[in-house]
Amino acid sequence: MENLRILFLNTWGGNVPGYFDWIEEHGAEADVLCLSEVHNGYGPESVDLIRRVNNRRGPVQVKQYQILSDLLRDTHQGYFAEAYRGLHDCESADTVPQGLAMFIRRELRSYGISSTLLNREYDGIHTPGAESGSRVIQSSFILPQDTDPILLCSLHGLWTPGGKVDTESRHIQNDSILDHLCRRGSEPFSPLKGSARVILGGDFNYTSAMAAFSRIKHWIYWGSGGAKVLNEQVPDGFNTRTELYDPDKPSLEADMVFTGRAIDAQLTVDRSVPSDHAALFVDVAL
């Protein structure tokens, strides 16, 4: 394996027609898929019955994780990290956990899936119109052959009614992200020490103008020079929205990828995805 391909994608609940076809054709090319806004509902209720009045293009896919697990079963192993219970952009739903999913190619060695709440204690239920409920970070050590390990971290950051602005909750979230990274490196049998081969990506719900973004980029944790921000390496790289995104909203920024200094990676922003978020493909030279 000469390159490791990672996909970061906010799936928008998997509601756009053609989403699962896109995953099967393009997403499955990735060695690791890091997905957010993934529902993992259980019980007898049909996906087709969960139709709500909202800004979605189709029904909320309350069993997206199960569908993806079946779709990718021959090639990737899936892991789910619950953030809260509720339908995104909809009312609470106690039998519908929502959070992150990470699918790792089966022949790729990995170790130690872990997740941590970011901004508040687990509250279970999301209240629409209010600051989003508990959010989560998910990580795994990736162990490619003949090269040093990588700590891969995926997250979905806090949403607030006031938009993408600095808030106390986001300050707490940043502290929790840093704490998660440090703790993973200090585990007794951690295969990776330090930050040089760390990849941190996902839908932060930040813009590049926010102090919260700048703080992450310049954490002492990254060492001299701070983190590499892959969005900065491509033209219009912070524009991570598709034509499905609400044109009346003020910012097209949300999704970002930070890496340690020893990571040699290229970012591709694909805005043709069936979501209101672009797909971020990260190709890491091994």
Side-chain angles (χ1 to χ4, degrees):
M1 178 184 288
E2 296 181 357
N3 291 283
L4 174 72
R5 169 158 270 209
I6 302 164
L7 166 63
F8 292 100
L9 176 64
N10 181 320
T11 71
W12 206 24
N15 74 94
V16 179
Y19 164 73
F20 292 110
D21 292 335
W22 186 91
I23 287 288
E24 189 169 26
E25 183 176 356
H26 299 288
E29 295 175 353
D31 298 299
V32 186
L33 294 82
C34 299
L35 308 177
S36 60
E37 287 190 22
V38 175
H39 294 88
N40 190 14
Y42 57 91
E45 190 162 20
S46 167
V47 168
D48 293 332
L49 297 180
I50 308 296
R51 296 180 182 270
R52 301 291 187 253
V53 178
N54 56 25
N55 64 344
R56 302 291 169 148
R57 293 298 182 99
V60 175
Q61 297 287 352
V62 297
K63 297 185 178 181
Q64 185 189 163
Y65 180 71
Q66 292 95 320
I67 295 171
L68 290 173
S69 295
D70 288 341
L71 190 67
L72 300 169
R73 70 165 63 241
D74 292 335
T75 56
H76 292 73
Q77 175 65 50
Y79 305 90
F80 180 76
E82 181 176 338
Y84 62 82
R85 297 195 174 192
L87 305 180
H88 191 79
D89 286 357
C90 305
E91 68 268 29
S92 299
D94 193 42
T95 62
V96 186
Q98 197 231 126
L100 303 176
M102 185 178 288
F103 290 88
I104 302 176
R105 192 173 298 280
R106 290 186 180 276
E107 59 261 36
L108 182 63
R109 292 191 305 157
S110 62
Y111 161 79
I113 282 282
S114 179
S115 62
T116 302
L117 292 172
L118 290 179
N119 62 300
R120 61 196 298 180
E121 64 185 12
Y122 176 76
D123 57 12
I125 296 295
H126 171 52
T127 304
E131 185 177 278
S132 60
S134 44
R135 291 298 171 101
V136 69
I137 185 171
Q138 185 180 33
S139 65
S140 177
F141 292 106
I142 304 298
L143 309 172
Q145 281 191 317
D146 303 322
T147 190
D148 293 331
I150 293 169
L151 176 60
L152 174 60
C153 305
S154 169
L155 64 84
H156 185 195
L158 175 70
W159 177 90
T160 65
K164 294 177 176 64
V165 295
D166 289 293
T167 65
E168 178 61 25
S169 295
R170 284 182 167 130
H171 176 70
I172 293 170
Q173 175 174 272
N174 272 13
D175 288 346
S176 299
I177 296 169
L178 180 58
D179 180 69
H180 181 87
L181 297 178
C182 292
R183 284 191 295 105
R184 297 251 52 195
S186 64
E187 292 173 7
F189 300 102
S190 171
L192 181 69
K193 305 298 182 184
S195 64
R197 292 184 62 80
V198 171
I199 299 173
L200 171 66
D203 174 10
F204 284 77
N205 270 316
Y206 289 174
T207 73
S208 56
M210 288 172 56
F213 163 81
S214 181
R215 289 189 187 108
I216 292 179
K217 180 179 177 180
H218 297 292
W219 276 337
I220 295 175
Y221 168 80
W222 299 111
S224 177
K228 295 181 182 179
V229 182
L230 299 190
N231 305 69
E232 296 177 340
Q233 299 178 2
V234 296
D236 203 21
F238 284 103
N239 175 3
T240 59
R241 292 298 191 170
T242 71
E243 62 180 11
L244 300 179
Y245 187 60
D246 185 348
D248 294 328
K249 291 190 175 181
S251 176
L252 297 176
E253 300 187 15
D255 308 85
M256 301 170 177
V257 182
F258 302 83
T259 78
R261 306 304 295 182
I263 294 290
D264 179 9
Q266 300 295 321
L267 175 68
T268 301
V269 181
D270 182 352
R271 302 185 184 92
S272 65
V273 186
S275 171
D276 65 341
H277 287 256
L280 274 56
F281 284 100
V282 177
D283 290 294
V284 183
L286 299 178

